[in-house]
Amino acid sequence: AFANNYATPTTLSLDEIERIKNDFVVGAERVFHAGFKVLEIHGAHGYLVHEFLSPLSNKRTDQYGGSFENRTRFLLELVDAIQKVWPKELPLFVRISATDWVDGGWNEQESLKLSKLLEAKGVDAIDVSTGGTSPDAKIPVGAGYQLPFASLIKHNTNLIVGTVGLITNASQAETILVNGDADLVFMAREMLRDPYFPLHAAREVHEDIAWPNQYRRAKLK
């Protein structure tokens, strides 16, 4: 269990693993037919893929547990299966938690090793986050606190690398890109706080972008 007040999960059978992989494939097909142009496999934050990757949560004793090769098997098989239905010309991303922030857990060196395997399989980009498998994680939360993990993968692979985590203004994001620590900056909470963030960011970095027609009368020169 994740913590004392959480339910204890049951171990998936091999047949259940195959069914779930097929469910992912069906989901990928739906995404494509719905018209989306980018697909991301979410392998972070304590969700199922991450539960296989992390030795904190993966206590299996079969081919899906124990060694690094076994713990990464589910994700790598998932990528293979999805690539059979997702067009090669469209980007395929994988999101990972680069560290569990717990001794003995999933760590940045395993993330780099996994990233190289994903690169060899033709994955286009890695979306680098952290944490999610343990309530005991000691996370040094601060501006851009997850960037070093993205930078490690960026400088040791040829993948497109995205970074996340308390990136809250345009200058901060632009600095990350200019310094070559990541290729993409993913933002969520700042856009919840400020739905007009793209317009404000463009002004901050002196980019003259097109405003939505409904807002053009309010555009400042």
Side-chain angles (χ1 to χ4, degrees):
F2 176 77
N4 290 335
N5 59 333
Y6 279 70
T8 300
T10 56
T11 303
L12 292 172
S13 69
L14 296 181
D15 286 342
E16 287 173 322
I17 289 175
E18 289 303 313
R19 176 183 59 77
I20 290 172
K21 282 192 294 185
N22 184 66
D23 289 342
F24 272 90
V25 171
V26 171
E29 290 177 312
R30 288 174 177 163
V31 166
F32 173 66
H33 290 301
F36 288 92
K37 302 300 183 185
V38 177
L39 177 68
E40 179 174 84
I41 300 170
H42 200 329
H45 300 162
Y47 298 137
L48 182 63
V49 173
H50 190 188
E51 288 182 317
F52 273 95
L53 294 175
S54 174
L56 298 179
S57 49
N58 187 342
K59 303 300 183 183
R60 300 179 70 97
T61 57
D62 61 2
Q63 65 265 43
Y64 288 99
S67 67
F68 170 86
E69 289 71 22
N70 284 354
R71 287 182 283 113
T72 58
R73 189 184 307 277
F74 177 71
L75 174 57
L76 297 177
E77 290 179 348
L78 201 55
V79 169
D80 288 339
I82 287 174
Q83 284 177 322
K84 292 177 181 178
V85 300
W86 185 252
K88 188 175 179 61
E89 65 272 15
L90 295 181
L92 177 62
F93 291 16
V94 174
R95 187 170 215 197
I96 63 170
S97 282
T99 177
D100 287 331
W101 298 107
V102 176
D103 289 342
W106 181 261
N107 60 60
E108 60 267 34
Q109 291 304 319
E110 288 184 309
S111 290
L112 177 57
K113 189 175 177 181
L114 173 62
S115 296
K116 291 179 177 180
L117 294 174
L118 293 171
E119 179 184 0
K121 285 188 172 294
V123 167
D124 298 287
I126 298 292
D127 175 2
V128 183
S129 188
T130 63
T133 54
S134 173
D136 300 321
K138 301 295 188 294
I139 304 175
V141 175
Y145 70 102
Q146 297 178 135
L147 179 60
F149 303 103
S151 182
L152 174 70
I153 295 171
K154 166 68 178 172
H155 292 296
N156 289 281
T157 71
N158 292 312
L159 289 161
I160 294 169
V161 177
T163 188
V164 301
L166 287 183
I167 301 166
T168 59
N169 62 72
S171 297
Q172 180 190 9
E174 185 73 0
T175 299
I176 290 169
L177 300 178
V178 170
N179 288 346
D181 288 317
D183 302 291
L184 301 170
V185 175
F186 295 108
M187 304 178 76
R189 275 172 283 187
E190 188 59 29
M191 293 195 187
L192 294 175
R193 288 186 284 264
D194 177 9
Y196 301 100
F197 177 83
L199 303 182
H200 297 154
R203 189 179 182 204
E204 182 181 336
V205 297
H206 308 293
E207 287 290 334
D208 185 18
I209 66 171
W211 281 38
N213 289 338
Q214 299 92 329
Y215 294 88
R216 283 194 301 176
R217 291 186 62 167
K219 186 177 180 181
L220 297 173
K221 300 297 184 183

